[in-house]
Amino acid sequence: MQPVLEINNLTTTFFLRQGPVRAVDNVSLRLYQGKSLALVGESGCGKTMLALSILGLVPSPPGKITSGEVLFDGRDLTRLSEKELRAVRGNDISMIFQEPMSALNPVFRVGAQISETLIYHKKLSKNQAREKGVELLKLVGIPAPEKRYNDFPHQLSGGMRQRVIIAMALACSPRIILADEPTTALDVTIQAQILEIIRDLQDRSRTSTVLITHDLGVVAQVCHEMAVMYSGRVVEHGSVEDVLAGPRHPYTRGLLSSLPRLDREQDLEPIPGTVPEISNLPRGCPFHPRCPQKMPVCAEKEPPVFNTGSKVRCWLYHE
C-alpha cells in the first residue's frame, strides 16, 4: 500500500550563535491512509518540530530544513513555494496546535477565523461558511455554538479555545491531521468526544492522523503505529501493539515504567536525569547518560537502526 505521507531522512537545523543544532535529526516515517501514527517522548524531544517541518512552519531564521524530503501526493513539500504550501495547509493537511491562545488571533471573532478557512479553500459564501462554522463548533462539543461563533478568543475558556482550534482543523475535511496534544486542555468527557471524532474520521473519511501526545493511554486507544522520539531522533518505531507489549529501547521501557498501572503495586520508576539540551548533546547515543543498560560503545558511537520487529536505535541489538 502506498503511503499518503512519506518522510525520508528529514533533518531540520537551527543555526544558533553556538553553532548549528539539529532539532529533527534524520527522521524517516510513513503514514498510510486511514491510519494514525503517534509521536511520543518527553518535552523537548523534537515531536512538535517534526510536525512543523512537515508543513514548512519552522521559524526561519534561525531554523531551516537542511536535508531529506516530505512526500505528499508525489510532491516534495520541502521544495514547494510559500504560495503552494498555503494551498496545502488547512485544506489537505491541517494542524491542531498545542497552545490555543497563541494559535487564535485575539482581535478576530472565532467564527470569522473558522469561516476564513472555508472561504479561502472551499470557496463558500459568507453565509455558507457561517452555517458550516456553527456546525463544526457543535461537532466539537461547544455549547450554544450560534452565540460562541461571535465570541472573541479571550471570552472562551482554555478548553473551549482548544475545541475551536480542532474545529478549524476539521473544517475542510483534510486528508491528514497533525494533532499536537489535542486533548491536553480538555476534561475527560470532552477528551473522549474528540478522540471519537478522530476515530470516526479515520473510519468514515479515511483521514490519516499524526498524534503528538504524552498520554500512552490515548495512543493505545486510537493509534496504529507509534514512534518514540529522543533528542530529535526516532529511537523506536513499530505497531502500537508491539511497542507497548514488548518495548525494546531502554528509553521506551523507561517511559512505560514511569506510568501508574492498576496491576502493579510497586513504586513508579522515573527515568533519571533530564532531556539534554539540543545544543549540547553527549557523544554517542544521546540517551546513554540516563540509560540503566549502557555499554562502553554507547558513549563512543551513535547506534544505527536495527530491525527487531520494531525498528530500534540501540546498541543492545547489535549482533
Side-chain angles (χ1 to χ4, degrees), residues 20 29 108 114 130 174-175 217 246 248 259 274 296 312:
L29 293 169
F108 290 104
I114 297 172
R130 177 187 174 84
R175 293 171 59 191
R248 290 163 173 79
L259 293 175
T274 58
V312 59

Side-chain angles (χ1 to χ4, degrees), residues 77-151:
L77 299 184
T78 66
R79 298 183 180 277
L80 298 186
S81 66
E82 183 62 26
K83 182 179 180 181
E84 290 171 319
L85 276 173
R86 279 200 298 269
V88 173
R89 296 178 191 141
N91 189 30
D92 296 312
I93 305 177
S94 286
M95 185 160 182
I96 300 171
F97 292 93
Q98 183 175 5
E99 179 44 63
M101 199 60 219
S102 60
L104 290 171
N105 192 321
V107 301
F108 290 104
R109 301 179 192 273
V110 296
Q113 296 185 57
I114 297 172
S115 296
E116 181 184 22
T117 301
L118 293 162
I119 292 169
Y120 180 80
H121 289 297
K122 297 301 183 184
K123 311 304 180 188
L124 300 186
S125 67
K126 286 187 177 180
N127 287 337
Q128 289 172 325
R130 177 187 174 84
E131 185 177 325
K132 178 68 174 176
V134 171
E135 182 184 319
L136 286 164
L137 292 178
K138 185 177 181 180
L139 177 69
V140 296
I142 290 185
E146 295 86 357
K147 177 179 180 297
R148 295 302 184 186
Y149 185 89
N150 293 314
D151 283 350

Side-chain angles (χ1 to χ4, degrees), residues 3-214:
V4 65
L5 186 73
E6 188 173 352
I7 303 171
N8 294 319
N9 305 315
L10 185 68
T11 298
T12 300
T13 304
F14 278 70
F15 295 90
L16 308 178
R17 285 185 178 179
Q18 57 268 45
V21 297
R22 294 180 174 184
V24 177
D25 193 354
N26 199 32
V27 170
S28 295
L29 293 169
R30 306 288 183 271
L31 179 66
Y32 294 91
Q33 186 174 10
K35 303 296 183 181
S36 53
L37 168 68
L39 299 178
V40 301
E42 296 167 281
S43 296
C45 285
K47 306 182 299 296
T48 297
M49 193 52 60
L50 174 57
L52 294 175
S53 299
I54 291 171
L55 279 178
L57 294 174
V58 176
S60 179
K64 183 182 179 183
I65 295 174
T66 49
S67 66
E69 58 185 9
V70 180
L71 299 178
F72 173 71
D73 271 350
R75 295 189 297 170
D76 184 359
L77 299 184
T78 66
R79 298 183 180 277
L80 298 186
S81 66
E82 183 62 26
K83 182 179 180 181
E84 290 171 319
L85 276 173
R86 279 200 298 269
V88 173
R89 296 178 191 141
N91 189 30
D92 296 312
I93 305 177
S94 286
M95 185 160 182
I96 300 171
F97 292 93
Q98 183 175 5
E99 179 44 63
M101 199 60 219
S102 60
L104 290 171
N105 192 321
V107 301
F108 290 104
R109 301 179 192 273
V110 296
Q113 296 185 57
I114 297 172
S115 296
E116 181 184 22
T117 301
L118 293 162
I119 292 169
Y120 180 80
H121 289 297
K122 297 301 183 184
K123 311 304 180 188
L124 300 186
S125 67
K126 286 187 177 180
N127 287 337
Q128 289 172 325
R130 177 187 174 84
E131 185 177 325
K132 178 68 174 176
V134 171
E135 182 184 319
L136 286 164
L137 292 178
K138 185 177 181 180
L139 177 69
V140 296
I142 290 185
E146 295 86 357
K147 177 179 180 297
R148 295 302 184 186
Y149 185 89
N150 293 314
D151 283 350
F152 289 96
H154 73 270
Q155 295 176 280
L156 305 178
S157 68
M160 290 178 73
R161 289 195 293 265
Q162 183 67 41
R163 280 178 267 175
V164 170
I165 293 292
I166 294 170
M168 291 173 66
L170 301 178
C172 295
S173 301
R175 293 171 59 191
I176 298 173
I177 296 174
L178 309 177
D180 191 357
E181 298 280 1
T183 59
T184 298
L186 308 179
D187 59 66
V188 290
T189 55
I190 299 301
Q191 278 188 32
Q193 184 179 355
I194 296 303
L195 293 176
E196 185 59 38
I197 290 171
I198 292 174
R199 274 196 299 262
D200 184 57
L201 284 168
Q202 288 172 186
D203 296 337
R204 178 170 47 85
S205 304
R206 304 291 291 161
T207 302
S208 306
T209 309
V210 176
L211 179 65
I212 299 171
T213 183
H214 295 280

